[in-house]
């Protein structure tokens, strides 16, 4: 998939430390859909983990990780996600927090049935 537009709700010039932060983005692909994504630095992940030493449930599944929050690097990462596997991982990143547990259980059950049928 091709990236048509990247919108920054918070402009990069407002970020105090481009090596230790995260930002939300709205990315429009050539499928016409606008995906909401989070781009984070590796250092920021460590900050968010804090003294616990592990990530809180919910947030790391949706992150696209860059070394620094620069327009060039963010664009490069978003384009790589969009082009790989027809945008699969970009879409998964967008959907990571978009389902409730009942929806996920339904999909997992459907997959369990599908794969158990393969074993017969």
């Amino acid at each position: 998939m091709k990236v048509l537009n990247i919108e920054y709700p918070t402009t990069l010039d407002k970020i105090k430390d481009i090596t230790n932060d995260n930002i939300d983005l709205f990315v429009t692909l050539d499928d016409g859909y606008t995906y909401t994504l989070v781009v984070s630095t590796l250092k920021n992940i460590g900050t968010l983990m804090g003294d616990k030493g592990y990530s809180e449930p919910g947030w790391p599944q949706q992150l696209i990780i860059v070394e620094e929050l620069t327009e060039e690097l963010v664009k490069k990462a978003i384009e790589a996600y969009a082009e790989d596997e027809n945008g699969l991982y970009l879409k998964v990143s967008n959907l990571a927090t978009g389902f409730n547990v009942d929806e996920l259980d339904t999909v997992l059950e459907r997959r369990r049935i599908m794969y158990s049928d393969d074993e017969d």
Side-chain angles (χ1 to χ4, degrees):
M1 306 205 81
K2 295 290 181 196
V3 176
L4 299 180
N5 187 46
I6 301 173
E7 183 182 339
Y8 295 81
T10 301
T11 57
L12 292 174
D13 63 337
K14 295 201 180 353
I15 295 175
K16 292 179 183 169
D17 182 354
I18 63 170
T19 67
N20 187 11
D21 211 331
N22 64 77
I23 56 170
D24 295 337
L25 299 176
F26 303 126
V27 177
T28 305
L29 299 183
D30 60 358
D31 64 358
Y33 190 81
T34 300
Y35 299 85
T36 302
L37 304 169
V38 180
V39 177
S40 177
T41 63
L42 192 54
K43 188 174 180 181
N44 187 244
I45 293 170
T47 298
L48 293 172
M49 287 189 330
D51 295 335
K52 294 183 302 290
Y54 62 89
S55 63
E56 294 285 336
W59 60 264
Q61 295 80 3
Q62 65 183 343
L63 297 178
I64 295 174
I65 302 166
V66 296
E67 187 174 339
E68 296 180 335
L69 293 171
T70 63
E71 191 170 342
E72 179 182 340
L73 195 52
V74 168
K75 181 179 182 200
K76 193 174 186 179
I78 296 297
E79 287 175 343
Y81 269 70
E83 292 169 4
D84 191 55
E85 299 281 336
N86 200 29
L88 173 67
Y89 300 107
L90 185 141
K91 293 173 183 178
V92 167
S93 180
N94 175 254
L95 292 174
T97 58
F99 290 104
N100 67 44
V101 75
D102 292 335
E103 291 171 311
L104 290 173
D105 287 344
T106 299
V107 171
L108 289 170
E109 179 62 15
R110 191 168 57 230
R111 290 178 56 89
R112 185 192 65 75
I113 291 168
M114 180 178 68
Y115 289 119
S116 68
D117 288 345
D118 289 345
E119 294 173 3
D120 296 337

